Structure formats: structure tokens, C-alpha cells
Amino acid sequence: MYGYEIVKAIQTASKETFAFGEGSIYPVLHELEANKLVKSRRQEVDGRSRLYYSLTANGRKRLEVLTKQWEQVAAGVGHVLGGAHA
Amino acid sequence: MFWEGRMLKLSQAIELRRRLLRAGFSRAYASRAARELQEHWEDMVEEGTRAGLNRGEAEGEASTRIGSPETLISEFVARLEKSSWLGRYPTLGFAMLALILIIVWWVALGSAAAQYCGLFEKGIKTQELSDKLALCFDWVRALSYVVLPWLCCRIADRYFCGWRAALWACLVLAIHNAAHFFQVTGAGDHGTVTMGYTVSSSGPPLLPILAPLAVFALHRAWMLRDQFDSEDSGPTFC
């Protein structure tokens, strides 16, 4: 995926919940790349040259860890709010 | 030039590139970041025109959606400067880097020079050896005045550490150069190589101090030159 596609995917998946300056995606991607969690490759598709990003093996592992952490936090918050509403 | 024609469409990309260069990031990286922003903007303009906006409206909408240059630049600088250990601790990191480079330089080139001069061979006259060694080490030292500061500047670029980190490393090298001495003496069958630090009462020599600072200044001037790169430099991460 290239930067524009990633922003579109985030907006679609989050049902446009997150609003941010779309250029802000690049410092994040570049930081991830500097930390070797994603890698990039310039590729020409349909006459347009773009920089495509993909997860590295380390990035995939990190994503799994963060996803588990987030699920625990979200479940915890859900329990707290559920308890408060009960 | 391909780049210039494309870049001039989006003021945010031009401004981003200029500000990243001023912050001390490499030309390759600044151009890459600006080009990506430019491509993103073009995709948004296409999206706008497909949605029925005219070209001017689509461009205005895309420029708003991409974000303000100030916010973007501060995010780039903040995130990338913290992406490496050297960037997080530039004062300690670059002082150590300068010292490590000095040690590696002298171990590598000093031993190569000694080997070249025949220090480890038997039957060579001490005085002759001393003269050759002194000449070789003078060259090794003179080269270090230029090569080591340049390496520090390149490493600061590579790890997004900014120009202040590079200047600090060059200052450490200048202080080292001012006080460092290397002496080869030979008498009879014995020769002596002495190396260390000293402070002269007549003051430090100017050239060894000014050389690293001049390299830093030239490097900055080269990075900030007002000209776009003629080709896409591509990703700068290893």
C-alpha cells in the first residue's frame, strides 16, 4: 500500500472516526521504517510511480503484540464502563 | 527538470523540503519526503475532480486536507530525531562517536602506515624508519582533519540527528586536534613513538581546529544549496 491508500484504508475501516492532516501519515511511516518495522519500495503502477510500504517480519510481530495489548485495554475499559452502567 | 516541474505545484512540499534541509536532514531524505507528499496531494486532486470539483477547487481542498506545513514539519522533525539512539542522546552520542572514530582511524590507518613503513621488519635503520613513519603519520593526521568531520556530518544526516549534533561532533574533533600530538623519534638502535595530549603555552595551532569546522560549514552549504535533485533519491533508510 502507498500513503494515500493507507489513509483511505484507515478512514474506511474507522468509518471516518479519525480526522487528521493526511500528510501526518508520512512522519509515522518514516519513523516505522527507520525502526525497521516497515519497508518501502518504489513501484510504477498504471503509469504512476509511488512508494509502496509493507510490514517487515519484525513489524508483523510488533503489530501482534500491540494488537493483543490494545484488545486487553479495550476489554478492560469495556468491563469498567459495563460495570458502571450496570 | 522533472522534479522541479512537479514540485512547484505544491507549496507545502517545497516548504517541507526546505525546512527539513534547514533542520539538518539529508537532501535525499528531504526530497523523498517532499515527493511523497506531492504524490499524495496529486491523488487527492484526482479524487476531487472525480467527485465533480473543478481543478482549482480540488487543489484547494487537497492542500487543506494534507495539513499545515508547520504541523507537518514539526511532526517529521520530532518523530525522526527520536528514531535512533544517536538522535535521542545527541550530546553524549556524538561526543562518543567522534572519540570512537578517532580511535578506529588511528588503529586502522596507524597500523597500516606502520606496516607500510616497515616498522615490523628487521634490519631497517631506526633513523630512516622514524623519518618514514613521521611522514606517514603526518598524512594520516592531516586526512583525519577532513575525513572524520565529514563522517560525523554524514552520520548526523543518516540518523536524522540534525545539524547541531554534527556541529557538536566537529567541535569535539577540533578540541582533540588542538591538543593531540604524535611524535616519532629514532636514535641508535631504538625508536620511540609517543602519542598523547598536550597544551602548548604558545596556544593551539589554528589549522587543526578550523579544519573540522570548515568541513561542517561546507557540508551545510552543500546541503542547503538552492537546487532540486535531478533524480529521485529513493528511500534513505538502510
Side-chain angles (χ1 to χ4, degrees):
Chain A
M1 278 181 152
Y2 53 93
Y4 176 78
E5 270 187 324
I6 293 170
V7 171
K8 285 282 141 205
I10 291 170
Q11 286 173 346
T12 307
S14 68
K15 297 193 171 71
E16 314 246 343
T17 306
F18 304 123
F20 53 90
E22 294 190 18
S24 303
I25 194 80
Y26 294 103
V28 178
L29 286 170
H30 294 179
E31 186 190 18
L32 291 172
E33 194 175 2
N35 291 324
K36 301 191 186 338
L37 298 173
V38 299
K39 59 186 176 192
S40 68
R41 191 162 58 101
R42 188 157 280 284
Q43 211 175 326
E44 196 168 313
V45 177
D46 298 332
R48 289 281 302 271
S49 167
R50 293 189 178 100
L51 209 52
Y52 285 78
Y53 292 89
S54 57
L55 277 174
T56 61
N58 279 343
R60 208 170 292 282
K61 278 181 205 159
R62 180 91 179 120
L63 177 64
E64 281 169 19
V65 169
L66 288 177
T67 304
K68 273 183 194 155
Q69 280 179 1
W70 178 253
E71 282 168 354
Q72 284 173 351
V73 170
V77 171
H79 290 315
V80 170
L81 290 179
H85 286 299
Chain B
M1 201 180 287
F2 164 76
W3 235 126
E4 249 168 320
R6 288 167 63 91
M7 287 298 300
L8 289 172
K9 286 183 199 165
L10 178 59
S11 60
Q12 278 110 319
I14 298 168
E15 185 62 12
L16 176 74
R17 184 180 178 281
R18 196 177 65 81
R19 298 273 284 272
L20 288 177
L21 287 175
R22 282 180 64 184
F25 289 11
S26 73
R27 290 178 68 82
Y29 177 72
S31 296
R32 174 218 163 140
R35 182 173 178 183
E36 275 193 285
L37 203 66
Q38 170 77 24
E39 286 164 355
H40 192 111
W41 181 82
E42 285 169 357
D43 282 326
M44 287 193 293
V45 172
E46 263 182 34
E47 184 191 323
T49 49
R50 273 200 310 271
L53 297 176
N54 68 38
R55 181 84 192 170
E57 287 169 343
E59 287 185 1
E61 165 92 6
S63 296
T64 309
R65 273 172 52 193
I66 213 152
S68 75
E70 284 71 27
T71 312
L72 276 177
I73 287 149
S74 59
E75 282 195 43
F76 267 101
V77 173
R79 281 189 175 271
L80 290 166
E81 277 188 349
K82 304 293 174 207
S83 67
S84 67
W85 186 86
L86 274 175
R88 285 192 290 277
Y89 307 102
T91 311
L92 174 66
F94 275 81
M96 280 172 60
L97 175 73
L99 297 175
I100 288 168
L101 284 177
I102 290 165
I103 293 167
V104 170
W105 177 266
W106 278 102
V107 168
L109 290 195
S111 56
Q115 181 75 35
Y116 171 74
C117 295
L119 182 68
F120 308 117
E121 289 170 17
K122 286 179 180 173
I124 191 163
K125 287 180 184 170
T126 309
Q127 187 57 52
E128 186 188 333
L129 176 65
S130 296
D131 293 344
K132 270 177 92 174
L133 267 179
L135 183 65
C136 278
F137 282 126
D138 278 346
W139 271 102
V140 171
R141 184 178 8 212
L143 277 175
S144 77
Y145 294 163
V146 177
V147 176
L148 297 187
W150 178 79
L151 276 175
C152 289
C153 292
R154 293 291 296 152
I155 290 170
D157 288 348
R158 166 64 185 81
Y159 291 98
F160 311 104
C161 301
W163 63 269
R164 287 179 188 85
L167 177 60
W168 166 237
C170 290
L171 278 172
V172 172
L173 288 170
I175 293 165
H176 158 82
N177 292 347
H180 182 240
F181 74 92
F182 197 101
Q183 204 171 13
V184 182
T185 49
D189 293 336
H190 301 286
T192 311
V193 176
T194 320
M195 190 172 181
Y197 289 93
T198 183
V199 179
S200 165
S201 56
S202 58
L206 273 182
L207 179 68
I209 296 173
L210 291 180
L213 303 177
V215 170
F216 168 79
L218 285 173
H219 181 265
R220 279 294 287 163
W222 176 255
M223 299 296 282
L224 291 172
R225 70 191 191 278
D226 189 20
Q227 181 193 333
F228 281 104
D229 296 321
S230 58
E231 57 185 33
D232 177 30
S233 309
T236 51
F237 304 108
C238 293

